[in-house]
Amino acid sequence: RMPGKPNSSDRADSTVRRPVAARLVSDAPRKEKSRLAASILFFEHGIYPSAKAVLECTQQGSLTDINRDVQEFWRDLRE
């Protein structure tokens, strides 16, 4: 990465995080928010929904819990 030049994940954060967060129901359970954020990131924006990316959108939960939610998201997609 070149100094001062944003990488693609930096651009995705700034252009995707707010619209995804705006679609989350504020009082929904963390797990529901995590799965919805993962789905929006992956299907609508083509972004791999890592636990960090999902946390940046939801601003709720620990990376450990969100990682579990994302793993469940992938498991459900395979079924």
Side-chain angles (χ1 to χ4, degrees):
R1 180 176 169 199
M2 296 180 64
K5 183 176 180 183
N7 64 28
S8 61
S9 66
D10 290 339
R11 282 194 303 275
D13 288 345
S14 64
T15 60
V16 174
R17 184 175 49 228
R18 281 189 212 104
V20 172
R23 292 174 59 185
L24 301 176
V25 177
S26 63
D27 61 348
R30 181 214 76 248
K31 185 175 185 175
E32 185 178 316
K33 287 182 182 179
S34 296
R35 295 190 50 134
L36 178 58
S39 182
I40 293 169
L41 288 169
F42 185 67
F43 290 112
E44 296 181 19
H45 298 282
I47 296 171
Y48 177 81
S50 67
K52 182 180 177 191
V54 170
L55 176 60
E56 288 172 352
C57 292
T58 63
Q59 298 293 303
Q60 183 179 0
S62 69
L63 284 174
T64 302
D65 289 338
I66 293 172
N67 188 51
R68 246 182 261 126
D69 299 340
V70 171
Q71 288 175 353
E72 190 175 300
F73 165 78
W74 287 119
R75 191 170 33 253
D76 289 349
L77 279 181
R78 286 190 296 269
E79 291 178 352

